[in-house]
Amino acid sequence: MQKKKLNLSIKILIGLALGIVAGLFLPADFATAVVKPFGTLFLNLIKMVVVPLVFASIVVGTCGLNDAKSLGRLGGKTIIYYLFTTALAVTIGLAAANLFPVGRNLAFQMEAVSGAEPTSVVDTLLNIVPTNPIKALAEGNMLQVICFAIALGIGILLCGEKGQPLYRGINSLAEAMYSLTGAIMKLAPIAVFALVAPVVAINGPKSLLPMLGVILTVYGACLFHMLVVYSASVGGFAHISPVRFFKEAVPAMIFAFSSASSAATIPFSMDASDRLGVPPSVRSFILPLGATINMDGTAIYQGVCALFIANAYGISLTMGQQLTIILTCTLASIGTAGVPGAGAVMLTMVLSSVGLPAEGLAMGMVLGIDRILDMARTTVNITGDIACSVVVAASEKQLKQQHKNT
Ligand code: ASP
């Protein structure tokens, strides 16, 4: 079993390497017209299963928790961990961009300041409860799906015996979805190849060079955050060696990197979390929630880009403004969907919170390399989710240790 899993990881790695090499040689049109559809096909298959998978596994997970108290405790710990690490992430992003002042040489003229109107915190929170659960499921609104699934799970628990047929039905749906997802995931190595090759072919070295400073700062800060914050949290709270943690997380990380979608990576993070010993009742709750509200990589990116844009216009941000950015990014991450490009939309809100231009030349430059930055931030986003599942499971004394030596 373990050998088979390892093989899939290696195959995914090979897919990534071949995708990068092929991207360097393939013409962009060919890569887009011929290779990309295979990646899209895989993403569609994953999207097909992800809503029923998340819905069924959260209902089953909630029923497995048995009482509202443990659900509340689990939820509380998860949200505190997510918010804390996201605030830390944006601080690291800002620190990195202060240390390497990217964009200073650009000296752009300030254009009219405008941008998306920030959604209020109250609205973001109110929006979590779906007024129409079927619509939430149909639209794949993950936070609302999670809310409805938890509520249904509680309903099943409350009605005791009478809820059992429904529980068994949803449990069986969850099992079917796990099997189907497992079968689809076997295609992951090809998907990774087909997703990465067009990105490399389109963003040739020429388009990346002018923004190399921003790319290196975002990638460097992401790497730092993963190696320091996640290693410390899984090592400190769960006594899992960082080497083992990253070894198990690697397939999910590569898939997140290739797809730039936390939501599409959920099946892979579930798998990683399983191998790290996190029980289903914990991971089926924490990971889909994390894919939607925990965006450490996105926060790093927003911190770096906010400073890059300020520098490009010769504006120096005060300590107070940087604190506003930390707060806005942390809250904005809750409302950011786990799909490609969502972080860039949220960046406009972060920029408007401190009066920086959310459109214009500098933002255009950032958008031009969005996919490249998205790949790094999504990788961090889902690694943070997996780390949280391990830490919370350990704190609940539910982390299984049997795979310790693998
Ligand atoms: N693509 C990211 C994710 O799915 C969100 C973002 O654009 O930052 O996690």
Side-chain angles (χ1 to χ4, degrees):
M1 182 75 172
Q2 208 52 31
K3 188 153 176 268
K4 222 168 111 203
K5 290 260 169 68
L6 211 67
N7 279 344
L8 184 65
S9 317
I10 291 170
K11 279 188 209 156
I12 291 178
L13 249 178
I14 295 172
L16 176 72
L18 289 180
I20 294 173
V21 175
L24 289 174
F25 293 102
L26 287 177
D29 312 350
F30 179 83
T32 311
V34 180
V35 183
K36 201 174 166 197
F38 290 98
T40 311
L41 172 68
F42 184 82
L43 283 181
N44 287 354
L45 285 169
I46 289 279
K47 282 180 198 157
M48 176 180 82
V49 290
V50 93
V51 170
L53 175 79
V54 166
F55 171 74
S57 62
I58 291 186
V59 175
V60 173
T62 308
C63 293
L65 288 175
N66 268 324
D67 63 303
K69 225 168 149 196
S70 34
L71 180 68
R73 210 178 43 233
L74 206 70
K77 282 181 189 169
T78 305
I79 288 170
I80 289 171
Y81 181 93
Y82 282 159
L83 291 181
F84 181 71
T85 51
T86 305
L88 213 58
V90 55
T91 311
I92 289 173
L94 283 172
N98 274 306
L99 210 62
F100 308 100
V102 279
R104 278 267 163 86
N105 51 341
L106 291 173
F108 287 159
Q109 290 304 313
M110 191 78 158
E111 298 117 27
V113 174
S114 70
E117 269 301 307
T119 327
S120 76
V121 180
V122 178
D123 282 346
T124 307
L125 295 178
L126 280 179
N127 208 20
I128 294 176
V129 181
T131 48
N132 180 347
I134 305 298
K135 186 162 163 243
L137 287 165
E139 288 175 348
N141 183 327
M142 213 50 102
L143 266 190
Q144 296 190 344
V145 169
I146 292 169
C147 177
F148 175 58
I150 293 174
L152 185 60
I154 294 174
I156 291 175
L157 284 178
L158 288 178
C159 71
E161 259 314 300
K162 282 189 194 148
Q164 284 311 300
L166 183 58
Y167 170 76
R168 278 196 296 275
I170 297 179
N171 194 16
S172 158
L173 173 67
E175 290 300 334
M177 284 300 139
Y178 292 143
S179 308
L180 187 56
T181 311
I184 295 172
M185 277 165 65
K186 296 218 171 81
L187 301 173
I190 302 169
V192 166
F193 171 88
L195 288 167
V196 164
V199 175
V200 177
I202 294 164
N203 300 282
K206 253 194 250 132
S207 65
L208 301 185
L209 229 51
M211 291 295 278
L212 205 60
V214 173
I215 296 173
L216 290 180
T217 313
V218 170
Y219 272 66
C222 282
L223 207 63
F224 180 85
H225 185 75
M226 286 196 292
L227 292 180
V228 176
V229 178
Y230 300 153
S231 296
S233 57
V234 297
F237 293 109
H239 307 294
I240 284 186
S241 87
V243 175
R244 178 171 167 240
F245 172 76
F246 285 108
K247 194 177 137 216
E248 301 295 14
V250 136
M253 291 166 77
I254 296 176
F255 190 74
F257 183 80
S258 320
S259 67
S261 169
S262 295
T265 310
I266 290 173
F268 292 85
S269 8
M270 292 258 201
D271 210 35
S273 202
D274 178 26
R275 275 176 280 131
L276 284 160
V278 179
S281 60
V282 177
R283 64 173 190 267
S284 61
F285 173 71
I286 291 179
L287 296 171
L289 188 67
T292 327
I293 71 166
N294 184 42
M295 305 266 166
D296 293 358
T298 304
I300 291 174
Y301 147 87
Q302 288 169 341
V304 173
C305 289
L307 237 79
F308 163 76
I309 291 175
N311 285 341
Y313 292 100
I315 304 164
S316 52
L317 293 176
T318 61
M319 215 47 192
Q321 282 174 310
Q322 301 207 24
L323 278 175
T324 308
I325 293 181
I326 295 178
L327 199 69
T328 321
C329 283
T330 309
L331 294 177
S333 70
I334 299 176
T336 310
V339 296
V345 178
M346 282 305 186
L347 176 62
T348 62
M349 279 187 193
V350 175
L351 295 175
S352 8
S353 74
V354 286
L356 287 171
E359 45 196 45
L361 263 182
M363 184 65 187
M365 290 175 81
V366 170
L367 286 179
I369 52 160
D370 190 54
R371 180 66 185 213
I372 303 295
L373 301 179
D374 204 355
M375 294 162 97
R377 57 188 199 242
T378 310
T379 308
V380 180
N381 291 347
I382 65 96
T383 312
D385 303 342
I386 301 171
C388 178
S389 72
V390 169
V391 169
V392 173
S395 80
E396 291 283 303
K397 309 226 174 340
Q398 289 199 35
L399 195 66
K400 294 186 218 115
Q401 300 288 340
Q402 76 269 32
H403 297 315
K404 210 158 190 171
N405 300 318
T406 59

